[in-house]
Every structure is written in structure tokens, then in C-alpha cells.
Amino acid sequence: MPTAIEYFKLLPKTNCKDCGQPTCLAFAMQLANQKAKIEDCPHVDSGAKDTIAEASAPPVKTITVGTGNAKIPMGGETVLYRHERRFINPTAYALTVSDELGADEIAKRIEYIKSICFDRIGMIFKVDMVSVRNDSKDPAKFKTAVENVMKLWNQPFVLESDDPAVIKDALAVCKARVPLVYGATPDNFDAMISVAKENKVPLGIKVSSLEEAVTFTEKAKASGYDEIILDLGAKGIKDILEQQTIARRAAIKKKFKPLGYPMMNRTGSGEYAVMTAVISTLKYGSLVIFDDLKNYEALPLFTLRQNIYTDPQVPIQVKQGIYPIGNPDEHSPIMFTVNFSLTYFTVRADIEKSKVPVWLQIVNTDGLSVLTAFAAGKFDSDHIKAAFEESGIMEKSDGVVIIPGLVSRISGKLEEALGRKVIVGTTESKNIPKHLKEITSQ
Ligand code: SF4
């Protein structure tokens, strides 16, 4: 990305303030920090605008599959390591639907793909795409399969065939949904890129080496259409790790544009396929297409992806407020904890296990865990009291207040601040069910 001084050199330097900044230099600094857009300055000339757009484009091109509310951006990354800046566009996972399947079998297959769905710490994990594969080699069957999939699947999808004529036929019925065409190879490249260009859909290119990738991305660029995703043709996990790292490093560190494209992998099913996806997710893959994926394989994979693509500097949080669990009434106990998502969902799950109705108050601690928030002065009796007052929880119930065992030392102060009996709870969430049952049976 250009520096503030490089941006400044291209600005009109009139300090007119029309961009909302006091000077052109201040605006240049905003641009360098990605807090402003060049369009915010109405006086910059089009030549400078183009130069800035070119210079500030992410080193890995963003390619979007799908359209409207059903689209998945891929690539667009600007860093090599997630501690530098958050990775932007998570790896997408796709499952295959063969065009050998009849309408009923496709319906069952789509139902199965949709059933791979989990709620983890408030986020929904699901399969992102389906890949319709031309196993039959029959254009009519492929087109029918695509039509059947489209009736039941409103998310982005892939057309998988290395026959340009088959793809052309299928695009006649689905190009408005902007599918990814996966099937360009060195042998069919010219025909495939012209079909993709004509229909304005992204194209997956299968090559067999990094050198070949450079040849074909440059060819695509020269053709005036480089909406492409690269399959580097890795022969196994080690290859994926090596090639995708080299490609991403070249794009980001060396600003080598011919390798600055999203990357994808085609894999099978079973443990090796999951390992392939793990490496691809860890090492810059934007899309993994599976032959098949089981629920028990998907959960750890999706969890890994969630960890890679969240900002390590910003804990995942839930909102401060009241979370009633199990229809609590005016005498139900009041529990409270911090707003770090992992803590909230763990505590919530353990309260649910107890079957005891509880009012759960979440206190905003900027996503810090109980002891860290306490040490940082964000989980003391003043903060807790303020959260209780804001939500009005004390008016909802006259039940006891249960303080997390880890901060039992402030129970006296809190009792005084709230004017309500405070019971010391468990230090570990897993003991909540037993403790709640004991309290409510007294
Ligand atoms: Fe400078 Fe443009 Fe901002 Fe005016 S609007 S101060 S010319 S950057």
C-alpha cells in the first residue's frame, strides 16, 4: 500500500477541506490508514485517481462468486500473517453434486449439504457452496442438474467441467447467479477465458506449477479479463503448503502481480481431504471443493476457519444486557458474567443443563475474560452495578444474585452496592448445574 507521502504527492494540495480533513496531508494519512477513500476528495484528477487505485489495490485481487445477498468474495488479502492485520475473506467450502444424479437424488444431496450446519459462539457455520460436476460428460444432463440445483440452492455455486461447450450451455441458464466456472486448463484456456469473459463470471484455472500459473494469469490479463482463481495443481498436502505460501509471499512481499490471485483446491472425501482443507485454510486457500464432508469432519474445520479469520486483537463479544434462560420469573436467580463470547456460551450452556430458569446479565468488559477483566478494573462492583441498572434486571426478579466464584473477593462490596443478597458461585462453569440445583432446592 502507498505511504501517506506517496498519496500526498498525488493530491491537489489546496487544503480546501472539502474532504472533511483540515489539510491534504491529513487526508493522505487517512488514505494510508485505509480510513478514507480517494473518492472523498472531489478535486483529484482522473489520472491521479487511476494511479492511486492501481497502487492501493490489494496485492491479492478480490474475486467475487455469486451476486446480491448470495455472494462470496475471495482473496483481497493484504498481509501474510494475521497478527499484522485481520485476514479478510474466509476460505469457502463447497461440496460436489454430480450431474449423474436425478432430480430426487439432487434434492436429497442438497438437503444433506444444508444439514451440515452448526451454531458456535453465536456464529452459524455451514457449507458455503455446491459444485455441480459434469461427471456424465453430457451437456444436457449437466444443464438439467444445474437447473435442479438452482431451484434448491440460493447460495453461490461452481460449474465444474473442462468442456467449454458444456459450460457455455449451462451458463445460458445460470449466468445471472455469477457461478465460478472451474475447468480452465492449459489445453482449453483460450476457449474457457472467452466463455467466462462473455458471461462475466469468474474462472478457476487448473495449472501444474507456479511457473504455469504465471503464464496463464499473464495471458488472462492480456486478454482483458482476469477474474480468475488459481488451482496450482498441488500433488498433496506438502505441495499445497509450499506452493500457496510461495505464491502468497510473492504477491504480498514482492508485489508480484501474476501470483496475486485467490487460490483454490479440489479434494476428495475422508480424513485426507479434511487435512488438505486444513492446510489450505491455514495457508491462504480461498476455496476448497470436497467430494464429500461429514458433520464430524466439518465442525473442527469450520472452527479452525473461524479462528484464522477473526481478528486476534479483538475478542469475540456479545452485547451487554439481559439473557433470560429457561423462562425465568420474578423470583429466579440472577447470574452475571463478562461479554467474552466463549465465556458467555460456556456459561449459558451450563445453565441450560441445570434446567433451572435464570436471568443471565452480561456485563460489557470489552471481550475480556473474567479474571483479565477483573485485573483491568472492568469487572468490579461499580461496572457490574452500572450494567444491572442499565438493564433494569433487579426490577425483573427479587431472586439472589450469584457472583462468579473467580471474583468472590468483591461479593461483599457488590452486595452493598446492589442492596441484594449475593451468593458466591462456582469457579468453573461446568459446576454450575450442580450449584444451581443446590441453591434452588434450599
Ligand atoms: Fe486536499 Fe482534496 Fe481534501 Fe481539498 S478535498 S483538502 S484538495 S484532499
Side-chain angles (χ1 to χ4, degrees):
M1 303 295 280
T3 62
I5 293 299
E6 285 164 342
Y7 278 122
F8 179 65
K9 284 180 187 163
L10 295 163
L11 295 175
K13 304 181 198 67
T14 58
N15 299 333
C16 70
K17 303 185 178 60
D18 287 352
C19 57
Q21 294 299 318
T23 62
C24 292
L25 182 59
F27 182 66
M29 289 166 81
Q30 295 290 102
L31 286 173
N33 290 323
Q34 295 175 300
K35 289 185 176 158
K37 292 194 195 100
I38 189 61
E39 293 75 31
D40 299 341
C41 168
H43 310 297
V44 73
D45 67 55
S46 61
K49 226 178 227 175
D50 292 347
T51 310
I52 289 172
E54 172 84 14
S56 55
V60 178
K61 191 174 162 91
T62 306
I63 304 293
T64 302
V65 183
T67 184
N69 292 330
K71 63 181 174 198
I72 299 180
M74 299 183 185
E77 304 295 343
T78 57
V79 294
L80 210 49
Y81 304 109
R82 64 192 279 272
H83 60 258
E84 297 172 82
R85 188 176 292 153
R86 186 174 77 82
F87 288 173
I88 299 167
N89 293 314
T91 315
Y93 302 127
L95 255 72
T96 304
V97 174
S98 170
D99 71 347
E100 303 263 38
L101 301 178
D104 289 351
E105 291 166 305
I106 286 179
K108 272 190 204 146
R109 180 71 176 154
I110 297 287
E111 198 180 318
Y112 170 72
I113 293 171
K114 286 182 179 170
S115 76
I116 303 176
C117 184
F118 312 94
D119 179 347
R120 185 172 182 272
I121 55 168
M123 293 182 190
I124 303 296
F125 296 167
K126 50 189 170 44
V127 174
D128 307 283
M129 302 168 79
V130 298
S131 183
V132 190
R133 190 169 61 191
N134 182 217
D135 292 328
S136 70
K137 307 293 176 205
D138 177 340
K141 264 191 174 177
F142 188 63
K143 195 169 161 185
T144 305
V146 170
E147 284 171 325
N148 285 331
V149 165
M150 282 167 64
K151 282 181 209 151
L152 302 162
W153 183 260
N154 57 17
Q155 293 305 303
F157 56 92
V158 182
L159 301 179
E160 213 178 322
S161 169
D162 55 11
D163 184 337
V166 167
I167 293 291
K168 197 173 178 177
D169 254 20
L171 282 172
V173 295
C174 70
K175 69 177 177 186
R177 297 264 303 259
V178 194
L180 169 68
V181 170
Y182 174 54
T185 64
D187 295 335
N188 67 14
F189 180 80
D190 292 339
M192 276 293 191
I193 195 89
S194 77
V195 170
K197 187 177 178 181
E198 195 183 306
N199 291 282
K200 297 190 180 64
V201 294
L203 179 66
I205 306 179
K206 287 186 267 186
V207 292
S208 55
S209 67
L210 286 164
E211 292 72 20
E212 208 167 60
V214 172
T215 304
F216 284 93
T217 57
E218 284 180 336
K219 263 187 109 172
K221 186 96 184 158
S223 78
Y225 195 76
D226 68 337
E227 293 296 301
I228 50 180
I229 299 176
L230 287 172
D231 177 345
L232 296 173
K235 304 271 180 313
I237 288 173
K238 179 175 164 287
D239 253 17
I240 293 175
L241 179 70
E242 210 169 87
Q243 292 182 350
Q244 294 192 176
T245 304
I246 292 171
R248 185 55 53 89
R249 185 172 278 278
I252 288 177
K253 294 287 181 199
K254 309 278 183 207
K255 313 237 176 298
F256 186 62
K257 294 213 176 268
L259 290 176
Y261 294 91
M263 294 175 282
M264 62 179 289
N265 304 97
R266 182 78 178 80
T267 189
S269 57
E271 286 170 15
Y272 195 82
V274 176
M275 282 194 280
T276 303
V278 165
I279 296 298
S280 187
T281 303
L282 290 170
K283 288 296 169 192
Y284 317 122
S286 290
L287 169 65
V288 180
I289 304 177
F290 292 86
D291 280 345
D292 204 8
L293 186 68
K294 303 279 182 256
N295 267 288
Y296 64 85
E297 295 165 336
L299 180 59
L301 182 61
F302 291 175
T303 305
L304 171 80
R305 176 177 67 177
Q306 182 188 33
N307 287 331
I308 299 294
Y309 282 89
T310 46
D311 189 340
Q313 295 172 25
V314 182
I316 311 170
Q317 304 172 29
V318 290
K319 278 194 187 144
Q320 174 168 298
I322 304 172
Y323 293 75
I325 302 173
N327 281 328
D329 62 21
E330 65 275 20
H331 306 303
S332 297
I334 298 171
M335 294 181 73
F336 64 93
T337 190
V338 294
N339 74 330
F340 178 40
S341 280
L342 267 181
T343 304
Y344 164 72
F345 283 101
T346 307
V347 168
R348 181 182 182 104
D350 286 323
I351 295 172
E352 281 168 351
K353 266 186 222 159
S354 76
K355 308 269 185 248
V356 175
V358 164
W359 295 100
L360 178 62
Q361 168 74 50
I362 291 301
V363 180
N364 180 11
T365 56
D366 294 329
L368 297 179
S369 62
V370 172
L371 280 180
T372 319
F374 178 67
K378 294 182 177 190
F379 200 49
D380 55 20
S381 54
D382 290 344
H383 280 84
I384 296 162
K385 185 184 175 201
F388 275 43
E389 283 175 353
E390 188 195 276
S391 69
I393 195 164
M394 299 287 272
E395 283 83 62
K396 289 189 177 296
S397 170
D398 60 8
V400 291
V401 173
I402 304 174
I403 186 171
L406 288 172
V407 288
S408 59
R409 72 193 80 174
I410 59 163
S411 59
K413 253 188 165 179
L414 186 64
E415 194 164 283
E416 215 173 279
L418 298 176
R420 175 82 59 91
K421 185 173 170 56
V422 172
I423 290 178
V424 175
T426 61
T427 52
E428 286 194 58
S429 179
K430 67 177 182 188
N431 297 325
I432 286 175
K434 184 166 174 268
H435 187 238
L436 273 176
K437 278 178 198 153
E438 282 167 7
I439 293 173
T440 49
S441 64
Q442 283 164 12

